[in-house]
Amino acid sequence: MKFDAVLFDCDGVLVDSEPLTNGVLRDMLEEAGWKLSSAECMRLFIGKAVKDEIAIIEANTGRPLTAQWLDEFRGRRNEALVEGLLPIRGAVEAVALIHQLYDGRIACGSGADRFKVELQLEKCGLMPYFKGRIFSGHELPRSKPAPDVYLAAAAALGLDARRCAVVEDTVTGVTSGVAAGATVFGYSPPEAGHDAPEALRSAGASLIFIDMAELPALLMA
């Protein structure tokens, strides 16, 4: 095997959550006085945890970002995900095959909070492949773009991150995987919610692909 394990991001790689989450964020920012288009909101916040973007939100709304506001955001976000979330096209089949090929040596490393990650994996039928191997940047000293989440995932599998493949779709995530020493596969389909191929390459992605069905073969090449 070319790699010892495969470490997946969640949002935008396994589940098509970014349009839903960013839609809620855009609406709440407008309610707070900062009007953004959907595209602008995606560009500013894709791949980032809202809790890490407090300074830019406060600067543009002119008001403190309270714990109550964050709680309301997460509640409205979770409602949107429960109602409308779907897996990334081809992701369930690709993960099932990779799980088999790697004898279960896969993990999910996300910058999102654990509740969100687990909700999404359960809803999209992916939890059986990742149960017990889910890592949240909220529970580590640093979230993405720092490497902590992927270093933690590799360590929990008893492996060196430098011998792992990471699958990411944003510059923030690619930067995290590269900093961990992993080989990063950049997923960049044409749909909204993913960073462009050139941006992922510039961040250090070793290979760009646009169809999740291609991933098992690419990992074995």
Side-chain angles (χ1 to χ4, degrees), residues 119-140:
L119 179 157
Q120 295 181 142
L121 295 179
E122 287 279 11
K123 180 166 176 60
C124 292
L126 287 158
M127 183 59 85
Y129 305 108
F130 292 104
K131 191 172 182 65
R133 297 182 306 281
I134 298 167
F135 301 85
S136 165
H138 283 229
E139 298 168 0
L140 294 163

Side-chain angles (χ1 to χ4, degrees), residues 18 26 29 37 47 65 99 103 118 133:
E18 295 290 9
R26 194 212 67 81
L29 291 175
S37 68
L65 189 67
H99 184 271
D103 196 25
E118 294 186 347
R133 297 182 306 281

Side-chain angles (χ1 to χ4, degrees), residues 43-92:
R43 179 178 57 81
L44 286 169
F45 295 103
I46 189 170
K48 301 173 182 176
V50 173
K51 72 177 183 64
D52 295 332
E53 303 302 310
I54 290 174
I56 188 174
I57 293 173
E58 290 182 340
N60 283 275
T61 60
R63 63 177 74 178
L65 189 67
T66 65
Q68 181 181 356
W69 190 94
L70 280 171
D71 286 344
E72 182 182 351
F73 164 71
R74 291 182 184 126
R76 288 168 62 172
R77 174 204 71 186
N78 293 344
E79 288 175 7
L81 293 171
V82 167
E83 182 177 337
L85 183 67
L86 294 170
I88 290 290
R89 180 173 50 85
V92 177

Side-chain angles (χ1 to χ4, degrees), residues 158-173:
L159 302 171
D160 186 334
R162 293 171 294 183
R163 290 280 305 154
C164 295
V166 160
V167 187
E168 276 284 359
D169 74 315
T170 67
V171 167
T172 301

Side-chain angles (χ1 to χ4, degrees), residues 2 14 34 43 48 53 88 136 144 208-209:
K2 189 173 181 181
L14 299 174
W34 185 14
R43 179 178 57 81
K48 301 173 182 176
E53 303 302 310
I88 290 290
S136 165
K144 300 176 185 179
I208 306 296
F209 69 107

